[in-house]
Amino acid sequence: MLTSKQRSHLRGLASKEQPVILIGKKEIEPSLINQAKDALVARELIKGKVQQNAMMDAGEAAELLAKALKADIVNVMGSTFVLFKRNPQNIKINIPTKKNPNPKA
């Protein structure tokens, strides 16, 4: 579970990123979940976009993916969403904690 300060930090990092997950007409299929899983392992923080012709909105898509991947939803705004999942074997993103409130990216 992320704190509001951690979410804010991750939102700032994600603002520079391009979406790596695109959701169109089809529902969220296992292949899309695997693609998102691989991206989370490699990056820890991913941005997704729900296209106009999709049958669901960004909030629904983020909820479904987060549940399937056991990830945290950082932000949902408009048609985009951001997910975060820590990779304990290869930590790439330092997030604020009580011991380290101002981490370097």
Side-chain angles (χ1 to χ4, degrees), residues 59-93:
E60 294 169 333
E63 286 285 335
L64 288 170
L65 277 175
K67 185 175 179 182
L69 299 168
K70 296 184 176 106
D72 290 307
I73 299 172
V74 174
N75 190 29
V76 177
M77 183 178 285
S79 62
T80 62
F81 59 90
V82 179
L83 300 177
F84 174 77
K85 183 175 181 183
R86 172 69 70 207
N87 180 355
Q89 284 84 26
N90 189 11
I91 295 174
K92 296 196 182 260
I93 298 174

Side-chain angles (χ1 to χ4, degrees), residues 6-91:
Q6 291 169 335
R7 285 183 201 283
S8 176
H9 178 74
L10 292 170
R11 267 195 309 269
L13 294 175
S15 68
K16 305 168 197 158
E17 300 296 323
Q18 293 295 317
V20 294
I21 303 295
L22 296 174
I23 299 173
K25 280 185 185 179
K26 296 182 180 179
E27 292 185 15
I28 295 178
E29 297 178 343
S31 61
L32 182 73
I33 293 171
N34 288 335
Q35 179 187 359
K37 181 180 176 185
D38 292 342
L40 276 172
V41 167
R43 300 175 179 215
E44 293 187 331
L45 184 71
I46 61 170
K47 187 184 274 189
K49 182 169 181 123
V50 177
Q51 297 175 339
Q52 289 180 347
N53 60 353
M55 299 295 184
M56 63 182 69
D57 65 13
E60 294 169 333
E63 286 285 335
L64 288 170
L65 277 175
K67 185 175 179 182
L69 299 168
K70 296 184 176 106
D72 290 307
I73 299 172
V74 174
N75 190 29
V76 177
M77 183 178 285
S79 62
T80 62
F81 59 90
V82 179
L83 300 177
F84 174 77
K85 183 175 181 183
R86 172 69 70 207
N87 180 355
Q89 284 84 26
N90 189 11
I91 295 174

